[in-house]
Amino acid sequence: MREESMILKGNSLSLLNEFELILESDPLIDEVGFIHPSQFVTLNKEASSSLEHEDANFWSRDHKLAISTDVLLPLYKAVKDVFMHAISQYKSHENLSDASWDEGNLESEVMKHSKALLLLSCDFGTAWNFRKLIVSKKQHMLIFLDELFLSALVLSCSPKSEKAWCHRRWVIKMLAGKCSTMQVIVGKESELVEKIAERSKMNYRAWNHRCWLVSYMTTEQVLHELKKSRNWAGLHVADNSCFHYRTRLMLRIREDHCHKLEDGTSDGNDEIYRIWQEELDWNEALIKCYVGREALWLHRRFLSLSWIRHFTTNVGDTSNYRVCKSSINADIGVFMDNELHLANSCSTIPDNEFEDFQAQAIYSATYILWLTKQISDSQGIELQEKPNLGSLRTMLNTACPERSSLWDISTRISGKCDEGLKENRYQRR
Amino acid sequence: MGELVVDKHVKYILSVEKRKDSFESVVLEHLRMNGAYWGLATLDLLGKLDALDSNEVIEWIMKCQHESGGFAGNIGHDPHMLYTLSAVQVLALFDKLNVLDADKVANYISGLQNEDGSFSGDEWGEVDSRFSYLAICCLSILHCLDKINMEKAVNYIASCKNVDGGFGCTPGGESHAGQIFCCVGALAITGSLHHVDKDLLGWWLCERQVKSGGLNGRPEKLPDVCYSWWVLSSLIMIDRVHWINKDKLVKFILNCQDTENGGISDRPEDAVDVYHTYFGVAGLSLLEYPGLKAIDPAHALPVDVVNRIFFQK
Ligand SMILES: [Zn+2]
């Protein structure tokens, strides 16, 4: 029994050595994956060039590394043991401030084992921390960039790893102010998020990272990002995170613009007005093209409410917005007419493709209720031409009875209605 | 409709600790402290906390504490606010807060508050509104809220509010039900719910309920049992829980049970885990499912435990 476990341990140590050797011999590995051993055969068939490494446990070629799922457990146990051993040695020598300790050697042990460990357990915080500790002692640009490379490698197999994204932010904060290529780094970060978001849909951590980057961007970069992300968003209309990213960019643009107005370097709202109008038009086109997408309607809520607060005059606004107010005085009633028209056109349900169109009808009606409530709540104004909220409510009560309390409160905003959706547009089957 | 298979869930929770044979179970050892909280809180809600030797657990917890006062996710790991709250919560479940040097823990936490009122998760400086909740909840349990700058802490959380009424990780971050729970919970504990636009946030939260009755955490996402907790507790704290269909949600959670071997999964037919088992049971507790202890939506502890902390001093 005892002998058996010794053999097992010996085996896992040789696995570990093999793994770390592969990582060391090709420092440019940029993608790692865990695959079932049966898939190794398929990989080999596809391989056109010669393999750099291949056996029953690991496979690597063109800087891509595959690890067999069969060895994950023993490999992880071995890596964790050597890592824990290395950090305890590192800590005890550091505490003794022992002049004779071979700092460089202990450090490289910790760096080597933490890398192997993080590829298997992406959120092992202590391993990330020790890397931060060692790297911050060096304060060397290239070593910081290596950390970005490692965290990208971890993200290639664990795109949602919170600690890997966090490690990037730590590195960027360390570089900020010290590094002349900050803009380039921020641009590359943004591209990395887009690449990962392509493979890992609706990845909150990835998009949160991109939002965080915005405060490090120049105004020109922000405008460029807005332009660039539009295409992606149009192809991923269900990904709310990308629309939120655009929200973040637009608010930053408006903020920058307000500062310009304050210090007199700009005197008009035309630029901001154009950006908002374009986004509204584009969003409308997407809504008509992709029927029943929640993220599109939620984005419209943001666009419309901020449009009304920013560009219309008959709204009691907060000081923040008043600064930006100038030549464009749009009428809130005209704006709402247009929105009602859009909602109207989205509430017809043809007999075929019932479900998407039903969703579209619900989203459009909810959108009008939401907007009306926000306007009267936060602005304290009455719409001159109220949408026919009563009929909207009837429709929503039939379609989504579980939210009846919500429909009740949102239509308590009373008043006579001249315009609105016609109840009978909604045909129940 | 099936019922909650209480005994099987108890058996499942007790068995999880012993499972060391798969990569998936071993690879999460760095957050064992969170696991302990999920498992033990579930047992307590089910009225079965005595199925387990508390001394052993407490001894292990104290071995995870660092000189700084913070707790690690497991022995030999680095401390983090995430594990510090879980450690304190588990001690509270066992009525063993007296084994702690409360000042020491509180100093660790208050030392992580930044100039702008936000909190870092640990000494490495990542900021997140979640950490504000962890700090405030933990200090509240320890009766040490006076150790931090509360006004700044509250203002920072308020600065994470979005146009949709929800909250993100940092100012300008996307709204997410988990973050919303943290921000609303922290505001509730500090008596600052006036920073929340209740109708607006309630609207966003109740739109998380999908056709199956389950709740998602963000628009267009699939429903997931853990959001039964994040969304529901937030709705309760802002007094808008009647805006969703509770019966359908109960059914959804019960459908995610493994009725043979115990445990609850994120969605029907998926594999179970402790995390979703806890959030499923906690969600049912908020929904006043019969036979379960009531849970406090802000402190995420059974109401009797919270009462013991605040009214028996
Ligand atoms: Zn979940």
Side-chain angles (χ1 to χ4, degrees), chain A residues 254-269 318-325:
Chain A
R254 200 173 68 187
E255 210 177 283
D256 288 354
H257 182 74
C258 286
H259 290 148
K260 274 193 193 163
L261 287 179
E262 269 169 16
D263 58 30
T265 45
S266 168
D267 57 1
N269 252 342
T318 62
S319 58
N320 196 14
Y321 302 114
R322 200 170 301 131
V323 178
C324 308
K325 198 80 62 184

Side-chain angles (χ1 to χ4, degrees), chain A residues 64-76:
Chain A
K64 316 286 172 219
L65 170 64
I67 307 171
S68 158
T69 47
D70 274 359
V71 302
L72 286 177
L73 182 61
L75 186 59
Y76 168 77

Side-chain angles (χ1 to χ4, degrees), chain B residues 223-228 230 265-267 273 275-276 279:
Chain B
D224 180 331
V225 159
C226 60
Y227 292 105
S228 313
W230 311 117
S265 56
D266 57 352
R267 276 179 282 286
D273 58 59
Y275 175 84
H276 289 96
F279 287 112

Side-chain angles (χ1 to χ4, degrees), chain B residues 80-98:
Chain B
H80 194 283
M81 197 95 89
L82 274 165
Y83 313 120
T84 305
L85 174 62
S86 283
V88 169
Q89 282 172 320
V90 172
L91 292 173
L93 288 174
F94 285 124
D95 196 12
K96 281 286 163 56
L97 286 170
N98 56 339

Side-chain angles (χ1 to χ4, degrees), chain A residues 139-169:
Chain A
Q139 291 292 336
H140 194 291
M141 176 79 179
L142 286 177
I143 296 179
F144 281 124
L145 295 181
D146 276 351
E147 290 308 293
L148 291 181
F149 191 81
L150 170 70
S151 116
L153 180 61
V154 170
L155 291 168
S156 77
C157 57
S158 314
K160 292 186 174 170
S161 167
E162 190 188 335
K163 298 278 182 191
W165 287 112
C166 166
H167 197 66
R168 303 190 82 76
R169 285 189 286 276

Side-chain angles (χ1 to χ4, degrees), chain B:
Chain B
M1 177 175 79
E3 289 190 351
L4 186 69
V5 291
V6 173
D7 292 341
K8 289 195 168 144
H9 294 319
V10 173
K11 232 166 112 186
Y12 167 74
I13 298 281
L14 294 175
S15 74
V16 167
E17 255 307 292
K18 292 169 194 128
R19 243 171 261 167
K20 293 270 154 66
D21 52 353
S22 75
F23 175 64
E24 288 72 21
S25 58
V26 176
V27 79
L28 296 177
E29 62 182 314
H30 59 85
L31 45 81
R32 192 170 177 231
M33 190 66 78
N34 297 144
Y37 161 71
W38 296 324
L40 295 167
T42 308
L43 285 183
D44 200 13
L45 290 172
L46 297 171
K48 296 283 162 56
L49 191 59
D50 51 7
L52 198 121
D53 178 12
S54 64
N55 289 327
E56 211 175 292
V57 181
I58 292 161
E59 204 178 301
W60 170 76
I61 289 180
M62 296 314 287
K63 279 186 191 153
C64 295
Q65 193 177 22
H66 278 245
E67 223 9 79
S68 60
F71 285 82
N74 209 334
I75 297 171
H77 291 242
D78 285 355
H80 194 283
M81 197 95 89
L82 274 165
Y83 313 120
T84 305
L85 174 62
S86 283
V88 169
Q89 282 172 320
V90 172
L91 292 173
L93 288 174
F94 285 124
D95 196 12
K96 281 286 163 56
L97 286 170
N98 56 339
V99 305
L100 277 181
D101 179 348
D103 278 338
K104 194 173 170 181
V105 181
N107 286 338
Y108 170 75
I109 294 171
S110 60
L112 291 171
Q113 188 171 30
N114 301 307
E115 206 23 63
D116 62 357
S118 67
F119 283 85
S120 300
D122 63 13
E123 58 173 309
W124 296 104
E126 172 81 349
V127 169
D128 192 311
S129 57
R130 258 185 320 158
F131 305 150
S132 299
Y133 167 75
L134 298 170
I136 286 168
C137 183
C138 200
L139 292 176
S140 163
I141 295 172
L142 297 172
H143 303 279
C144 291
L145 275 171
D146 56 331
K147 293 238 178 187
I148 54 166
N149 186 329
M150 189 103 92
E151 193 189 338
K152 277 190 171 181
V154 166
N155 286 339
Y156 181 77
I157 296 170
S159 75
C160 296
K161 187 162 71 173
N162 287 316
V163 181
D164 57 23
F167 294 82
C169 300
T170 47
E174 185 187 356
S175 295
H176 180 292
Q179 299 293 146
I180 291 171
F181 160 78
C182 288
C183 293
V184 173
L187 294 174
I189 291 171
T190 54
S192 322
L193 281 174
H194 57 276
H195 284 288
V196 180
D197 186 336
K198 296 186 177 109
D199 280 353
L200 184 60
L201 176 59
W203 191 308
W204 190 91
L205 286 169
C206 80
E207 285 180 328
R208 300 303 107 237
Q209 188 163 40
V210 301
K211 279 212 175 87
S212 64
L215 301 164
N216 61 20
R218 281 183 296 141
E220 304 262 12
K221 295 278 283 184
L222 291 172
D224 180 331
V225 159
C226 60
Y227 292 105
S228 313
W229 169 263
W230 311 117
V231 174
L232 207 52
S233 56
S234 305
L235 281 169
I236 291 174
M237 288 187 274
I238 62 169
D239 197 19
R240 297 291 183 276
V241 73
H242 52 287
W243 287 6
I244 61 158
N245 185 322
K246 294 201 216 170
D247 295 337
K248 274 178 109 174
L249 180 57
V250 170
K251 270 185 204 154
F252 176 80
I253 300 175
L254 291 176
N255 273 333
C256 294
Q257 298 181 99
D258 180 338
T259 48
E260 240 166 74
N261 302 309
I264 299 175
S265 56
D266 57 352
R267 276 179 282 286
E269 315 303 331
D270 278 0
V272 303
D273 58 59
V274 202
Y275 175 84
H276 289 96
T277 306
Y278 164 65
F279 287 112
V281 171
L284 289 173
S285 162
L286 289 175
L287 293 161
E288 296 166 339
Y289 190 87
L292 294 178
K293 275 196 188 182
I295 188 164
D296 180 274
H299 291 89
L301 285 170
V303 169
D304 61 339
V305 173
V306 173
N307 286 343
R308 194 164 65 206
I309 294 168
F310 294 110
F311 303 115
Q312 237 182 49
K313 259 243 129 175

